[in-house]
Amino acid sequence: MTKYIKYDISNQYFPDPISEHLTELELALKKFATKEVYDDYKNVVEIGDENPYSFWSPNSRHALIPDSELMDLAIPIKRCFPSLLFRWSGNFIYGPGDMQSEHTNANDSTNTMYITYATGKSKFSYRHSIDEEFIDTYDVVDGITLRSFKTGTDPYVFHKVNCETGYRVSIGIRYIKEEEWKKNQIGS
């Protein structure tokens, strides 16, 4: 059975995954969590001025999973969360020492979920105000960590990522409940 932990950072609608499909999702993520895959993909290094209100991380180091590889993840994610409609919002592999500095994703007002698989020590840290201390949430090693929060509305979720050891695969999705989407359609 797949180990997993769930963090509902904004106290919003955050469904439990269908547990019988978590192993399939874990295996799909795990294949990206190796040095060989990390080295094969485009590595990104961004160096900029620190700004906690930035929509994107001004400082980061990670590898990008190509969009062409995401289809292998779409089916297990949909099986784990059948009531959700989603789109991709980030697909990264972090190696030892990689990171993303503090940012908000505030330009995209929606529900956000990060689905993570880690082989070593890594964490996602967040706070709701720049006057607060960070709250550290550690990834499950050799399992799945789910984090959900609302973006684009005040109070913002200021967040950052650090991968100390091993490899960390992080897939971001923006989501809505399918029934909610149907209600919002013109003529429904």
Side-chain angles (χ1 to χ4, degrees):
M1 177 166 230
T2 298
K3 301 180 291 186
Y4 85 95
I5 191 167
K6 182 174 133 173
Y7 296 99
D8 186 355
I9 294 168
S10 295
N11 297 316
Q12 63 183 18
Y13 172 74
F14 185 16
D16 287 318
I18 306 240
S19 59
E20 66 192 62
H21 297 294
L22 277 174
T23 300
E24 178 185 7
L25 178 57
E26 177 185 22
L27 293 173
L29 293 168
K30 185 177 184 175
K31 75 177 194 175
F32 295 105
T34 68
K35 180 177 178 4
E36 294 75 27
V37 172
Y38 176 84
D39 288 344
D40 280 347
Y41 290 159
K42 179 183 176 187
N43 278 263
V44 175
V45 177
E46 296 173 344
I47 301 171
D49 295 331
E50 288 293 328
N51 177 2
Y53 290 96
S54 178
F55 298 153
W56 300 280
S57 174
N59 294 290
S60 62
R61 188 173 53 249
H62 56 271
L64 291 174
I65 299 173
D67 290 345
S68 60
E69 298 286 335
L70 295 178
M71 284 312 296
D72 289 342
L73 297 169
I75 291 171
I77 290 172
K78 186 63 178 171
R79 286 181 178 153
C80 285
F81 301 100
S83 67
L84 301 183
L85 298 175
F86 64 88
R87 62 183 165 83
W88 308 113
S89 65
N91 34 307
F92 309 115
I93 305 170
Y94 299 89
D98 284 358
M99 50 73 75
Q100 280 203 29
S101 64
E102 185 176 14
H103 60 288
T104 63
N105 299 120
N107 62 319
D108 192 359
S109 184
T110 188
N111 295 317
T112 299
M113 183 189 311
Y114 289 119
I115 303 166
T116 305
Y117 178 87
T119 64
K121 185 177 181 182
S122 58
K123 67 181 176 181
F124 176 99
S125 304
Y126 70 94
R127 58 187 176 175
H128 296 287
S129 164
I130 59 171
D131 298 322
E132 296 176 355
E133 294 295 318
F134 278 101
I135 298 168
D136 295 333
T137 61
Y138 287 87
D139 293 322
V140 172
V141 176
D142 296 325
I144 294 176
T145 304
L146 305 169
R147 293 178 180 88
S148 179
F149 56 93
K150 183 86 172 155
T151 58
T153 57
D154 198 3
Y156 299 120
V157 176
F158 299 88
H159 57 283
K160 62 183 181 176
V161 172
N162 288 292
C163 179
E164 293 180 32
T165 63
Y167 292 87
R168 178 186 197 268
V169 178
S170 177
I171 303 299
I173 62 172
R174 304 297 199 253
Y175 69 91
I176 186 171
K177 289 192 290 188
E178 188 169 358
E179 65 187 49
E180 186 178 325
W181 179 81
K182 286 179 182 178
K183 281 189 229 177
N184 292 330
Q185 297 308 298
I186 297 175
S188 348

